[in-house]
């Protein structure tokens, strides 16, 4: 069998590459469906693009999900999705968080969302799970002494996703195929000291 990136790896590569402009279709990955005249204005106020992930959101701190603010979304946005991905290298790329079906009129997604498939406070928004893992945000946790990069992305989708909460993160992202109107990305890095005890395994 010829060696090459798997479909799941290709989907992860999209998360690192997609921006607000249309991207060419890649087999097995999500594509931006169309360009919108109105912008997506969204932010993670506790994270600085190119900066360091605050300890609070890592396995060395409270391990909670960061807050997201939404200022404006393009038409005809029907829902918003948030993802967090390890992007340091192909071997370690994985989706740590997927949150979808957030109503487009939402102004703020609070930090520390409950690790539940359905988020009642966000009008039934849903969260995915790490494959063979738990539902909700998985706090970044690189091996001690190594620095990993993490992409937090916000997507405007042209429809709500008809998939259940608790779906694997990879399958949740795959369901957005052709549905992305625009996206924004914040990249942060995180390194741990060699003598700390993590809340969970490397990620």
């Amino acid at each position: 069998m010829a060696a090459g990136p798997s479909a799941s790896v290709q989907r992860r590569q999209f998360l690192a590459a997609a921006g607000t402009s249309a991207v060419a279709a890649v087999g097995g990955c999500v594509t931006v469906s169309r360009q919108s005249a109105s912008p997506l204005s969204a932010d993670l106020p506790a994270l600085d693009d190119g900066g360091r992930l605050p300890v609070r959101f890592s396995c060395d701190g409270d391990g909670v999900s960061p807050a997201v603010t939404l200022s404006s979304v393009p038409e005809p946005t029907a829902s918003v999705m948030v993802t967090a991905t390890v992007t340091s290298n192909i071997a370690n790329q994985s989706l740590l968080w997927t949150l979808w079906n957030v109503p487009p009129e939402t102004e703020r997604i609070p930090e520390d969302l409950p690790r539940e498939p359905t988020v009642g406070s966000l009008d039934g928004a849903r969260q995915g799970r790490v494959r063979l893992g738990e539902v909700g945000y998985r706090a970044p946790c690189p091996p001690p002494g190594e620095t990993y990069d993490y992409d937090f992305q916000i997507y405007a989708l042209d429809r709500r996703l008809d998939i259940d909460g608790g779906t694997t993160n990879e399958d949740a992202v795959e369901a957005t195929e052709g549905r992305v109107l625009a996206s924004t990305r914040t990249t942060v890095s995180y390194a741990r000291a060699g003598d700390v005890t993590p809340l969970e395994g490397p990620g």
Side-chain angles (χ1 to χ4, degrees):
M1 180 179 296
S6 67
S8 62
V9 168
Q10 289 174 333
R11 289 193 293 272
R12 293 166 193 162
Q13 288 173 323
F14 166 80
L15 293 172
T20 57
S21 59
V23 296
V26 177
C29 80
V30 181
T31 58
V32 174
S33 59
R34 68 188 70 89
Q35 189 87 3
S36 174
S38 56
L40 169 63
S41 179
D43 189 28
L44 293 100
L47 277 57
D48 293 325
D49 188 42
R52 182 177 186 271
L53 179 75
V55 173
R56 173 171 172 74
F57 307 112
S58 78
C59 67
D60 299 320
D62 296 323
V64 300
S65 60
V68 177
T69 58
L70 301 170
S71 300
S72 66
V73 296
E75 294 292 342
T77 299
S79 69
V80 172
M81 184 178 195
V82 183
T83 66
T85 314
V86 183
T87 59
S88 293
N89 55 63
I90 292 295
N92 289 297
Q93 281 192 339
S94 63
L95 284 152
L96 301 181
W97 187 33
T98 53
L99 170 70
W100 66 92
N101 287 357
V102 176
E105 65 271 14
T106 302
E107 295 182 353
R108 182 179 177 84
I109 299 171
E111 70 173 43
D112 193 14
L113 289 184
R115 290 181 170 86
E116 299 174 353
T118 300
V119 185
S121 62
L122 293 175
D123 196 27
R126 299 167 184 176
Q127 293 187 103
R129 63 177 174 83
V130 177
R131 192 174 299 277
L132 302 179
E134 296 181 349
V135 169
Y137 180 74
R138 184 171 189 258
C141 197
E146 294 189 33
T147 300
Y148 276 17
D149 293 328
Y150 300 88
D151 280 355
F152 288 80
Q153 290 193 242
I154 305 162
Y155 298 89
L157 307 180
D158 68 0
R159 70 171 57 175
R160 290 173 62 86
L161 302 182
D162 188 22
I163 52 176
D164 295 331
T167 296
T168 64
N169 290 331
E170 287 81 5
D171 287 344
V173 167
E174 186 173 14
T176 67
E177 173 69 32
R179 306 270 61 96
V180 179
L181 297 171
S183 70
T184 67
R185 180 176 66 214
T186 298
T187 300
V188 293
S189 62
Y190 188 70
R192 302 171 56 233
D195 59 350
V196 296
T197 301
L199 297 174
E200 50 188 308

